[in-house]
Amino acid sequence: MSRYISNTPQQQLGMLNDLGLNSTEDLFQDIPQEVRLKRALNLPSALSEMELVKLMAGKAGKNFNLDDYSCFLGAGAYDHFVPSVIDHILSRQEFYTAYTPYQPEISQGTLQSIFEYQTMICELTGMDVANASMYDGASALAEAGIMACQAVKRSEILVAKTVHPESRVVLNTYAKFRDIKVVEIGYDNGQIDLKDLAEKISPDTAAVVVQSPNFFGIIESLQQISDLAHQNKSLFIVSADPISLALLKSPGELGADIVVGEGQPLGNAISFGGPYLGFFAAKDKLMRKMPGRIVGETKDTFGNRGFVLTIQTREQHIRREKATSNICSNQALNALAATIYLTLLGKEGLKEVAELCLNKAHYAFNQLVATGNFQPLFNAPFFKEFALKSLTPVEQLNKKLLDEKIIGGYALGKDYPDLTDGWLIAVTEKRTKEEIDLLAGKAGGEIA
């Protein structure tokens, strides 16, 4: 008997008899002999489950992993602690699907979890309404730009160069086929260049897009940018790190009209870059133009609390020309992980995580600069990530750090040719004082 297809030779013969056939070969009688492969496939022989587990464990053991290595690499994906209870709850059979069921109102538990997710995203961002999540932070940012153009009926987006480079690529891809012009705004001391912004903003500008903390880890002056955007009757879009919002004023308090971001730091593993989730929230006036789906709260005929899919202006449900977006699916399970994470930690727990990130990042910054092998690249306030100028070539430095079981920082020269010596270091709550001291000791002298 096969391990995976548990039918006996007698059962197979019974099935063939039902089909009026004598052998398995008869199933393929319509395939001409001249196109058949008359030899065994050039593949290794099949393994037992025990042999296969051993083989794959050996291959996996060759990877650098976050259990054996201390990670100081961020640049959009962060090694935050993921409580084990998240996977336990996610694995429950009523949740274990990436999809919202197609008869959603019979899945009240799923709808309630999405409603709670939307509520917590609104509380974090200072917005009125949030959708049920999107693919990732980059697609959320691009959708925000498209929505802004539709809302104010203009066709130009100004985006700061301090926004994640990959998010800007996605934004340009979306804009290319919608005849939307994307103009980048330079930076000064690691923050958006307000003078450049003031010169480039125009009556055609639908929205100004910034990220805070930005790609260099620096906190942007959101209120000033908001004032400039609104004086021009443009919308203000902010991409935010959700962990930072436990300490910083929400973008909504500082004038943002739309807030998006990458939700991976909220209880989702790095997982080689995905799957992640993008959060998307906006002011009430923009609700009917939002992409994706929104779950609302209601009461049934008996007065019991219930949940319904309230708005879903996507082309799967309405005519293509009327749809706000072609977004059809999302990684709902990742949004559920974020919901569990935020629920478990609560406001005080999230604040504690944010404070640990902030304090440890500033300790690491001081320790590395004190070695003399690094200089601050910018002089501006940062959260959990900071940029340094390295006296040792960054690629060479990172390679040597791997020998010490340290995953080093991001080489900024990959995306910013004027910052070839730039080294972007991320420090989450997981990094210990011993790990930070070891990084400073090795990178600051012993291997530099």
Side-chain angles (χ1 to χ4, degrees):
M1 181 189 293
S2 164
R3 180 177 180 85
Y4 300 106
I5 304 174
S6 55
N7 46 52
T8 64
Q10 290 75 20
Q11 290 171 320
Q12 293 175 28
L13 184 60
M15 287 187 282
L16 288 169
N17 287 336
D18 288 343
L19 293 170
L21 302 174
N22 296 317
S23 69
T24 305
E25 177 64 21
D26 291 344
L27 289 169
F28 308 109
Q29 59 187 340
D30 291 333
I31 301 175
Q33 288 293 330
E34 59 269 25
V35 299
R36 295 193 188 189
L37 183 66
K38 297 181 177 64
R39 60 170 174 78
L41 290 171
N42 185 22
L43 294 172
S45 58
L47 301 177
S48 69
E49 182 179 355
M50 186 171 63
E51 292 169 326
L52 184 61
V53 169
K54 186 175 182 180
L55 175 70
M56 298 309 292
K59 289 183 179 296
K62 295 178 181 178
N63 290 329
F64 302 138
N65 64 78
L66 299 181
D67 292 326
D68 298 329
Y69 287 70
S70 54
C71 179
F72 292 90
L73 181 61
Y78 300 97
D79 182 26
H80 287 288
F81 179 70
V82 179
S84 61
V85 68
I86 291 178
D87 279 345
H88 286 287
I89 298 177
L90 284 181
S91 302
R92 290 178 63 95
Q93 62 179 353
E94 59 267 45
F95 288 131
Y96 206 57
T97 172
Y99 284 92
T100 303
Y102 278 96
Q103 290 180 303
E105 276 67 38
I106 66 172
S107 302
Q108 285 293 299
T110 298
L111 290 179
Q112 182 175 358
S113 72
I114 295 173
F115 182 80
E116 302 293 351
Y117 163 82
Q118 294 172 176
T119 303
M120 288 187 277
I121 292 297
C122 285
E123 289 181 351
L124 272 178
T125 58
M127 292 286 104
D128 300 318
V129 59
N131 71 13
S133 86
M134 308 186 77
Y135 293 133
D136 52 27
S139 60
L141 183 140
E143 290 281 350
I146 301 302
M147 187 179 85
C149 289
Q150 293 172 338
V152 301
K153 302 187 187 313
R154 297 180 181 178
S155 58
E156 180 184 81
I157 297 170
L158 302 187
V159 58
K161 284 186 178 177
T162 51
V163 169
H164 196 299
E166 293 173 2
S167 295
R168 283 185 279 132
V169 170
V170 174
L171 174 63
N172 276 290
T173 302
Y174 271 59
K176 180 178 179 181
F177 299 102
R178 294 172 181 259
D179 294 325
I180 293 173
K181 183 180 178 184
V182 177
V183 179
E184 295 194 341
I185 307 298
Y187 55 87
D188 179 25
N189 191 30
Q191 294 173 304
I192 186 172
D193 186 338
L194 292 173
K195 184 180 176 185
D196 191 27
L197 173 60
E199 289 175 354
K200 289 178 177 172
I201 198 165
S202 76
D204 293 330
T205 304
V208 177
V209 184
V210 301
Q211 178 179 327
S212 185
N214 64 30
F215 189 66
F216 302 135
I218 293 173
I219 299 163
E220 295 276 8
S221 302
L222 296 185
Q223 189 65 64
Q224 287 180 277
I225 306 166
S226 169
D227 292 343
L228 269 172
H230 291 148
Q231 285 166 15
N232 193 60
K233 300 188 184 307
S234 307
L235 296 181
F236 181 35
I237 301 171
V238 176
S239 175
D241 177 338
I243 300 288
S244 74
L245 297 179
L247 291 181
L248 302 174
K249 269 191 174 181
S250 73
E253 293 175 275
L254 298 171
D257 300 291
I258 307 168
V259 183
V260 297
E262 174 53 63
Q264 178 268 322
L266 303 175
N268 284 274
I270 289 181
S271 296
F272 294 95
Y276 288 171
L277 77 138
F279 61 85
F280 190 115
K283 293 292 188 185
D284 184 61
K285 63 184 178 183
L286 297 168
M287 179 174 66
R288 292 194 175 276
K289 297 185 181 299
M290 287 176 65
R293 296 170 292 191
I294 299 172
V295 171
E297 183 182 20
T298 187
K299 289 182 178 179
D300 65 15
T301 53
F302 303 104
N304 298 316
R305 188 188 189 207
F307 302 92
V308 293
L309 271 184
T310 303
I311 294 177
Q312 37 190 347
T313 51
R314 55 190 190 140
E315 66 180 27
Q316 191 176 9
H317 296 283
I318 62 177
R319 285 180 295 169
R320 179 183 292 263
E321 62 272 20
K322 296 287 185 182
T324 58
S325 168
N326 67 352
I327 284 279
C328 292
S329 301
N330 68 335
Q331 281 84 284
L333 203 64
N334 296 77
L336 177 60
T339 308
I340 300 167
Y341 180 85
L342 289 169
T343 304
L344 283 172
L345 268 65
K347 291 180 180 177
E348 290 304 314
L350 192 65
K351 183 180 176 184
E352 187 176 341
V353 170
E355 287 176 339
L356 286 170
C357 293
L358 177 73
N359 294 334
K360 291 184 177 187
H362 282 75
Y363 175 74
F365 173 86
N366 291 330
Q367 293 299 101
L368 285 164
V369 171
T371 66
N373 199 41
F374 303 98
Q375 297 171 357
L377 205 51
F378 308 113
N379 179 25
F382 63 88
F383 174 52
K384 68 182 179 189
E385 212 161 11
F386 55 87
L388 298 173
K389 180 178 181 180
S390 173
L391 300 183
T392 304
V394 171
E395 300 289 356
Q396 176 184 325
L397 183 59
N398 282 337
K399 188 175 180 181
K400 288 185 176 181
L401 284 173
L402 284 175
D403 295 335
E404 307 294 333
K405 293 202 167 187
I406 299 171
I407 300 173
Y410 187 79
L412 286 171
K414 293 178 183 176
D415 304 290
Y416 299 87
D418 55 327
L419 301 177
T420 52
D421 301 324
W423 201 40
L424 186 66
I425 293 291
V427 186
T428 69
E429 78 282 9
K430 283 182 68 176
R431 300 285 70 83
T432 65
K433 180 177 182 300
E434 290 73 22
E435 289 173 333
I436 295 170
D437 289 343
L438 182 63
L439 170 73
K442 296 295 181 182
E446 293 181 36
I447 62 172

